[in-house]
Amino acid sequence: MLFGCLTAIFLGGSSTIGSSQLGYEIGFSGFWFVFAMGVGITIFGLCFLNRILNMEVITISELLSKLYGSKVRMIGAIVTAIYTLMMSVTQVIAIGSLVSVIFHWNIHTAILVGGSIVFIYTILGGMWTLSITDFIQFAVMTAGMFLIMLPISIHSVGGVDELFKALPSGHLDFMNIGMNEIFNYFVTYTLGVMVGQDIWQRFFTGKTKSIARVSGILVGVYSVLYSLVMVTIGMCAYVLFPNIQNTQNVFMHIAFETLPPGLLGVVLAALAAAIMSTASGTLLASSTIISNDILKPICFKDIDDTSFLKLTRLTTLCLAIITILIASLIKEVLVAIDIAYAILTGGIFIPVILGLFIKWITKRAAFFAILVSIFTVFLCLIIIGPGSNITIIYAIILNAVTLFGVSYYDHNLQKKNDF
């Protein structure tokens, strides 16, 4: 069940719609997008989960608090909340795209209706409800993509041999996008999911550490298969419909054009399942962080469990409204996910991971490192725009330099004072 829930939370609209879009545009080299995320989840489960579980925390911000104090907890909570909120935005955009194609609505109406459905059951249900629905959605998603969409897509182009003959040579090359872009995927997504609150919350629901580790490994294997399936569907769409203008709608286009009634419904349900499971999980993660790490310490220190539950649900409702509004403005899945991971990876990856192993990093160093890197991310997003690997690389380098530089200065200052 944990394997299904973990898979459902990270394989959402961006992984499904985005991977088929990349398969259409660049072929097999679009494989690295989802695979990089799966690698991150597996590494986290094998290398870091045990240490984090021993610290008895439920959010990344709580971990930062234990490592560096309350100020770093607060800024870490803000960064993580922004990331999880932007991940919810990507899924709302994806479900809006799906609904708009099915019912021929404009994208704003589709985002409002589709997003509202997901967020209502998230607010009412909580983590246990999401775990059950995520597992069911994982089963639907797997059956729809692997057993229906892939075979029919390949059959529609005349088989695998005909598909390969009809594609440009670049589409068959896994390295077509170049090592620089592949490196960008791993820096952005592998490092990002390792410090993703949505991923952590699912790992924490494992009954034992062994179950959690094995689930992480299975997610890595599944990500390889799922990524190959989605880029192959995208390549089939390229052969059948080479002139699609809005490539974000590649998956829906080939589904509507190749699937008979009945099977089309199953596949659209599979796509909806992929999107909804991630949207609900990321929204709940963002709400948990804001309620537990920002509102509770500042405004509700003595709140009881029943009142805290009401506070979390109210926070979830407010975030759901904000998510729908942002999704209506951005309207591009891959743009939104680039922004989300740039903020997360650039902002807190280095302090979280190094803080688990290096004890001499100071509180002041961690605070300024996060502050400098977040400023760098937003500055680069404004100047360069989303989608550039330079943004995250700059942020990580400045984060590490600030972390070590300020820590070194603080220790030297302490030595002088002691002397």
Side-chain angles (χ1 to χ4, degrees), residues 123 287 291 308-320:
I123 294 166
S287 175
S291 302
F308 182 68
L309 177 60
K310 293 179 181 178
L311 174 64
T312 303
R313 284 178 170 166
L314 180 60
T315 305
T316 307
L317 174 62
C318 295
L319 290 177

Side-chain angles (χ1 to χ4, degrees), residues 143-145 147-149 152 255 258-270:
M145 300 305 175
L147 303 181
I148 299 175
M149 193 65 208
I152 291 180
T258 61
L259 295 175
L263 292 182
L264 175 61
V266 175
V267 169
L268 293 181

